[in-house]
Amino acid sequence: MADTVFNLDQPMGALIDIAVREFGEVGFETVTIGEHSLEVLQVKQMQKYLDKLVDRTRSGKKISLPLWAKVWPSCLILGYTLTRFPFTPGCSVLEVGAGCAVNGMVMARLGLDVTVTDVDPHALLFSRINVLKNGLDGKMAVRRADFTSDNLDSRFDYIIGCEVLYEEAVYEPLVDFLDAHLAQTPTAEILLAMDKKRLGRKFFDKAGDSYAMMKSVANYKDKETGEENVINLFRMKRKGA
């Protein structure tokens, strides 16, 4: 999966054809964040696709669940927060683990210089389709980046991410990636959002050596289960900045 590469410079129709070949029926759904409405490509029959993945495991093939395809509650909450954040006009923003690039598109709508990244080639495919569908071609970049090992040779005024602390193996490399890509200016910040169940202790222990952190929480109700849940929001700035 990680070795798959798609030509993302193709027209939107050709890119959608690729998505259909892999996932079956797909379609755009409207996602609203604050005053911004976005058309986001979604897999229409996800359970059918997951059943296909199960069949692949029976033949001994390694699979990767399409967790990037879901618009997580943390994404919506961070997105809403970002629409009210006092960004400097034209500042640069890097989104890590962007999935289908919802928050990156919000930032592009605000006129910021946005680069969205993910390691999954299908996430990049869906991101590029969404960029084209929402008229943001030329206003934001879609790039492959593995934040456990890659270096983009660029620094950004802000770095954002949702649910990037998904497994312990990424904690310490992610701190190094953030430090290598955050601008060395007093106003540079990292903004992360995640379900309260993701503790990420080793990440925050290592990040705490170099960054001052502020945490806030946001409550939301799951529309399907009615369950009350909590999203943790973190702002990180270099100490002494």
Side-chain angles (χ1 to χ4, degrees), residues 34-238:
E35 299 174 354
H36 302 275
S37 291
L38 300 165
E39 295 301 307
V40 179
L41 191 67
Q42 295 285 277
V43 178
K44 288 296 188 179
Q45 299 183 38
M46 181 60 78
Q47 187 56 55
K48 184 176 180 180
Y49 176 72
L50 294 177
D51 290 343
K52 183 170 74 170
L53 289 184
V54 170
D55 290 338
R56 290 178 183 176
T57 64
R58 291 175 182 148
S59 62
K61 294 182 179 179
K62 184 178 179 180
I63 65 169
S64 178
L65 293 176
L67 300 177
W68 52 266
K70 180 177 179 179
V71 181
W72 295 91
S74 56
C75 171
L76 300 176
I77 289 171
L78 179 60
Y80 182 80
T81 301
L82 295 174
T83 63
R84 281 149 177 76
F85 195 84
F87 290 105
T88 303
C91 66
S92 59
V93 181
L94 171 67
E95 182 174 13
V96 295
C100 46
V102 171
N103 282 336
M105 290 191 291
V106 170
M107 298 294 90
R109 284 273 181 89
L110 294 175
L112 307 183
D113 178 11
V114 180
T115 299
V116 296
T117 63
D118 205 291
V119 69
D120 191 294
H122 292 106
L124 299 175
L125 173 67
F126 274 52
S127 291
R128 179 59 180 163
I129 291 170
N130 291 335
V131 167
L132 294 172
K133 178 67 173 179
N134 289 278
L136 296 170
D137 188 24
K139 298 181 180 180
M140 57 188 294
V142 177
R143 295 184 62 180
R144 184 195 182 280
D146 181 347
F147 58 64
T148 68
S149 59
D150 290 342
N151 191 309
L152 301 177
D153 294 321
S154 299
R155 289 186 180 269
F156 300 82
D157 299 313
Y158 296 89
I159 302 177
I160 66 174
C162 290
E163 304 297 351
V164 290
L165 301 182
Y166 48 84
E167 59 183 27
E168 191 168 325
V170 309
Y171 293 173
E172 295 189 37
L174 177 57
V175 176
D176 294 334
F177 181 90
L178 296 174
D179 195 50
H181 294 87
L182 186 68
Q184 295 174 315
T185 59
T187 57
E189 287 194 55
I190 299 164
L191 301 105
L192 303 176
M194 62 202 71
D195 188 284
K196 69 172 183 178
K197 297 174 185 176
R198 299 189 190 276
L199 300 178
R201 182 180 59 81
K202 289 186 178 180
F203 170 82
F204 290 108
D205 285 348
K206 182 173 182 177
D209 293 337
S210 303
Y211 293 90
M213 287 178 270
M214 182 173 67
K215 174 184 173 182
S216 59
V217 299
N219 299 304
Y220 76 95
K221 179 180 288 188
D222 190 296
K223 292 182 179 179
E224 295 181 0
T225 66
E227 181 182 0
E228 294 285 347
N229 293 290
V230 176
I231 296 297
N232 290 329
L233 298 164
F234 296 90
R235 292 177 63 179
M236 302 166 51
K237 297 184 71 172
R238 285 196 176 89

